[in-house]
Amino acid sequence: MLKTNPDVGFKLAGQRMGLRLRKVRQQQGQSLDALAVKVGVNKLTLGKIERGEGNPTLSVIWKIANGLGVPFSSLLGQDMPPQVSRFTQQADMSSPDGQFLAHAMTNMQEQCTFDVQIARIEAGNHYQSEAHAEGVVELVCLIEGQIVVEVDGDHYTLEPLDCLRFCADQAHSYFNPGQTEAVFHCIIAYRQMSSDKAHSY
């Protein structure tokens, strides 16, 4: 089973998110008030995140990335040259109940068109994802355990090393029917758009 230190990962996510959020928001000329209205996240919450005091959940990070029009992982990375991504050094994110964890394994910049995550879901648990923006595609590759992916009412059962590709601009969810944690790669591809709306989720 993959090991990580959630306290370190969540703290790292909060710190990186704050720095990147402020930088990208200011580059785009958006005020906290305007961004709060645009993404549906309270201004006070956004302010705490920018100061590195927040611990944003996956859904909040998705909303902010969508509002800014940047890849999900660009809000969790650092400005640096290419380097090896070590699992133990990645920013951690979770669902509100903490049963679904995602680790951003890439440090993609705003102009990039995909993200790579390692996701984990505890045995017997379910994670519901909101529909992403039109044109977004997900590729789920199971590493270990069992997982059932539901896409628009249809169910797809994956065994280790199986992959599923689907259009993610519709409701989808992940369920672990097994007795052990499920671990999978989640590659998220974004449609190439015009420069004023480079990416959306």
Side-chain angles (χ1 to χ4, degrees), residues 34-150:
L35 184 60
V37 172
K38 188 174 185 179
V39 303
V41 176
N42 186 279
K43 177 185 175 182
L44 294 177
T45 299
L46 288 179
K48 287 184 64 176
I49 293 173
E50 280 203 355
R51 294 191 297 273
E53 300 171 0
N55 182 19
T57 63
L58 279 165
S59 60
V60 169
I61 299 174
W62 277 116
K63 289 178 181 178
I64 294 173
N66 187 34
L68 293 172
V70 299
F72 181 94
S73 66
S74 72
L75 294 176
L76 298 164
Q78 307 175 81
D79 293 325
M80 60 177 65
Q83 66 176 28
V84 174
S85 293
R86 304 293 184 190
F87 177 77
T88 55
Q89 298 172 357
Q90 299 311 307
D92 294 332
M93 302 145 287
S94 75
S95 58
D97 62 8
Q99 300 304 307
F100 180 93
L101 293 175
H103 315 276
M105 295 304 295
T106 51
N107 179 16
M108 308 308 293
Q109 301 304 309
E110 288 85 349
Q111 72 274 17
C112 294
T113 58
F114 69 93
D115 280 322
V116 178
Q117 301 172 5
I118 290 180
R120 304 187 299 164
I121 184 169
E122 295 291 340
N125 280 278
H126 175 272
Y127 175 67
Q128 177 69 48
S129 176
E130 296 181 8
H132 304 320
E134 182 182 355
V136 174
V137 173
E138 285 192 25
L139 179 65
V140 174
C141 299
L142 186 63
I143 302 171
E144 60 182 59
Q146 294 178 277
I147 195 169
V148 177
V149 183
E150 180 179 358

